[in-house]
Amino acid sequence: ELLGVVRCVHKIKGFAFARGKAIRLAVASATNVVEVHSFVRDQGFSLSSTFNMYGHVTGIRSIALSSDDALTCTISKGSAKVWNVSTRSCVRALPLTKSDKKTKSAALYALCCAFLPGNAHVVVGTKEGTLLLFDYASGDVIFSDEEGHDGAIWSLDIRSDGGGLVTGGADHLVKFWEFEESDSGEPSLIHTRTLKMSDDVVAVRYSYSQDTSKRLVAVSSLDSTIKIFFDDSLKFFLSLYGHKLPALAVDCSDDDVLLASAGADKTIKIWGLDFGDTHRTLHGHTDSITDLRFVRRTHNFFTASKDKTIRYWDADKFEQILLLTGHIAEVNCLAMSKAGGFVLSGGMDRQVRVWERTKDIVFLEEEKERELEKLFDKVDGSRGEQGIGQDDDDDDAGDRDAAPQSDAAVRKSVVSIAAG
């Protein structure tokens, strides 16, 4: 006998019956929403409650930490969420939408974010070129510039003195903004300067120097070069070239001695900021590297990649320290705590993972042996599968000659390499 049918808006990934006298069914959907349906005789199932505050519906594109490491903000298409790091709980969920004449509300695709000094406001850059500033306590958008950039805002960074920020977009522009208090007492953004580049700006990053005459701005563009400018005069300083594909992430050590860059060519390059020389090129990731963050007061850094891994590197000894696995999809972003006690990661699997530093001693030789064993096991497994398939095909193949493989099937292009 059919008692009722449960209908959900999105694809159902799982369900479970709740304990108790009443018949209640908890349904998990593909959009990270949990719906509870109650059963009433002669009426069937009806939706009684929905839990949609926790978790992102789509992949996480950027993650930012507050200055005291107490809060973190994660953004994705159409939503921004503020979390308490210690309790792992969601403090505020904010929809990112804009009003349109054709549709009442359209979701904004957020790409980058950062906490403003004071940790009460968050600035967000979107794919539509809109720059948003919202108060996470009230959930109100206090500043919005829909013409911040003519294209996607791929990257933004807060200046080390906390007085402004820089944004880089697909319109070939690097824009500098100053924080200013409005009449209502809320902060707003004032556009002060613009730097014109020859190609799309992929990433921007300030150096950590407090001296205005020594503070630098690193700009990575789509032509696979990284250009360094002085912040006060925007005078050109260095040009770093060597990447075969665009560098998607750049970061400076806090003593402004080193700059590390990583990108779609799966390599990490370590540069000296005094002369712009290449110290070393590191290999390890098997797909595009999406983010890179230095650990404060050290020359160690973390990298995230589309190969679902996070790696920890030593920029002085030029070797890998740790390999962190756990994500089941591409890792898009990293956020490093000020004291270096933990690192946050987010990706297309809609997970935010907290990696905490422990007191366990890491032996680099053992880590290298463990990685080599995994590599050998992977090679042996693939050879075994090829052998089994070859034995099955021998009877049917006969004396058939192997046809030469098409050049188009093996030719590598920029598009294919960038797509991984």
Side-chain angles (χ1 to χ4, degrees), residues 264-406:
D265 57 0
K266 311 171 191 176
T267 64
I268 303 163
K269 290 187 178 292
I270 302 172
W271 316 81
L273 277 178
D274 45 2
F275 302 108
D277 54 324
T278 306
H279 289 190
R280 190 66 62 91
T281 300
L282 304 178
H283 302 268
H285 285 288
T286 59
D287 209 334
S288 300
I289 302 171
T290 54
D291 205 356
L292 184 150
R293 297 286 173 173
F294 267 97
V295 182
R296 291 291 182 89
R297 295 181 295 278
T298 70
H299 285 175
N300 300 339
F301 61 90
F302 286 90
T303 56
S305 171
K306 288 185 178 181
D307 62 6
K308 310 173 188 177
T309 64
I310 299 167
R311 295 173 188 257
Y312 187 35
W313 306 83
D314 189 336
D316 290 329
K317 297 181 179 179
F318 312 117
E319 58 185 3
Q320 178 181 308
I321 301 173
L322 280 176
L323 171 64
L324 306 176
T325 59
H327 282 278
I328 58 175
E330 302 171 0
V331 187
N332 287 334
C333 49
L334 294 171
M336 193 71 218
S337 66
K338 301 300 183 292
F342 63 90
V343 61
L344 303 176
S345 62
M348 298 306 290
D349 54 3
R350 297 171 291 185
Q351 296 180 6
V352 180
R353 286 184 172 263
V354 184
W355 309 86
E356 293 183 342
R357 183 175 59 190
T358 63
K359 295 183 179 180
D360 297 340
I361 300 175
V362 178
F363 297 96
L364 296 182
E365 295 299 327
E366 291 183 2
E367 294 294 328
K368 291 178 181 178
E369 289 178 3
R370 190 178 295 114
E371 194 162 353
L372 283 174
E373 287 176 0
K374 290 181 180 179
L375 181 61
F376 290 149
D377 292 342
K378 186 177 180 180
V379 172
D380 292 340
S382 61
R383 285 178 179 175
E385 291 176 0
Q386 290 177 2
I388 294 172
Q390 188 175 359
D391 293 339
D392 295 339
D393 295 339
D394 283 345
D395 297 335
D396 300 332
D399 297 331
R400 184 175 53 199
D401 294 330
Q405 192 173 6
S406 172

Side-chain angles (χ1 to χ4, degrees), residues 43-349:
Q43 296 181 8
F45 284 95
S46 61
L47 180 64
S48 58
S49 59
T50 304
F51 302 95
N52 59 359
M53 182 177 180
Y54 298 98
H56 283 273
V57 176
T58 58
I60 299 170
R61 294 306 305 258
S62 180
I63 186 168
L65 266 171
S66 60
S67 59
D68 55 0
D69 294 340
L71 299 172
T72 181
C73 177
T74 57
I75 58 172
S76 63
K77 182 179 180 180
S79 67
K81 296 180 185 291
V82 179
W83 308 78
N84 187 307
V85 177
S86 60
T87 61
R88 312 289 196 264
S89 60
C90 185
V91 178
R92 174 75 65 178
L94 300 166
L96 299 177
T97 58
K98 68 173 182 178
S99 58
D100 198 352
K101 294 180 180 179
K102 297 181 180 179
T103 58
K104 292 184 179 179
S105 61
L108 293 172
Y109 202 128
L111 295 175
C112 50
C113 66
F115 275 92
L116 264 63
N119 304 323
H121 304 86
V122 178
V123 59
V124 177
T126 69
K127 193 173 184 178
E128 294 78 9
T130 304
L131 199 60
L132 298 173
L133 188 62
F134 65 84
D135 185 345
Y136 83 87
S138 62
D140 297 332
V141 176
I142 59 176
F143 174 83
S144 176
D145 189 352
E146 295 185 359
E147 297 179 356
H149 282 267
D150 290 336
I153 302 176
W154 291 113
S155 179
L156 62 84
D157 191 30
I158 304 293
R159 205 166 61 213
S160 56
D161 61 359
L165 61 88
V166 60
T167 58
D171 54 358
H172 304 188
L173 297 179
V174 178
K175 291 190 175 183
F176 296 84
W177 309 76
E178 295 291 332
F179 300 136
E180 188 173 280
E181 188 173 337
S182 61
D183 297 336
S184 60
E186 299 288 353
S188 63
L189 297 176
I190 304 298
H191 177 220
T192 57
R193 297 176 296 167
T194 301
L195 182 63
K196 177 70 175 177
M197 304 297 293
S198 60
D199 217 326
D200 293 16
V201 178
V202 180
V204 290
R205 185 75 63 196
Y206 274 115
S207 66
Y208 290 92
S209 176
Q210 296 293 332
D211 188 351
T212 56
S213 62
K214 296 181 180 180
R215 186 182 299 127
L216 304 173
V217 181
V219 181
S220 174
S221 56
L222 205 61
D223 58 3
S224 304
T225 63
I226 303 168
K227 292 181 172 60
I228 312 295
F229 300 89
F230 286 102
D231 176 47
D232 55 352
S233 61
L234 296 185
K235 183 181 178 181
F236 175 76
F237 177 48
L238 292 171
S239 180
L240 312 178
Y241 52 91
H243 280 284
K244 296 179 180 178
L245 290 172
L248 305 178
V250 293
D251 197 14
C252 301
S253 59
D254 59 356
D255 56 3
D256 288 351
V257 173
L258 299 177
L259 182 140
S261 62
D265 57 0
K266 311 171 191 176
T267 64
I268 303 163
K269 290 187 178 292
I270 302 172
W271 316 81
L273 277 178
D274 45 2
F275 302 108
D277 54 324
T278 306
H279 289 190
R280 190 66 62 91
T281 300
L282 304 178
H283 302 268
H285 285 288
T286 59
D287 209 334
S288 300
I289 302 171
T290 54
D291 205 356
L292 184 150
R293 297 286 173 173
F294 267 97
V295 182
R296 291 291 182 89
R297 295 181 295 278
T298 70
H299 285 175
N300 300 339
F301 61 90
F302 286 90
T303 56
S305 171
K306 288 185 178 181
D307 62 6
K308 310 173 188 177
T309 64
I310 299 167
R311 295 173 188 257
Y312 187 35
W313 306 83
D314 189 336
D316 290 329
K317 297 181 179 179
F318 312 117
E319 58 185 3
Q320 178 181 308
I321 301 173
L322 280 176
L323 171 64
L324 306 176
T325 59
H327 282 278
I328 58 175
E330 302 171 0
V331 187
N332 287 334
C333 49
L334 294 171
M336 193 71 218
S337 66
K338 301 300 183 292
F342 63 90
V343 61
L344 303 176
S345 62
M348 298 306 290
D349 54 3

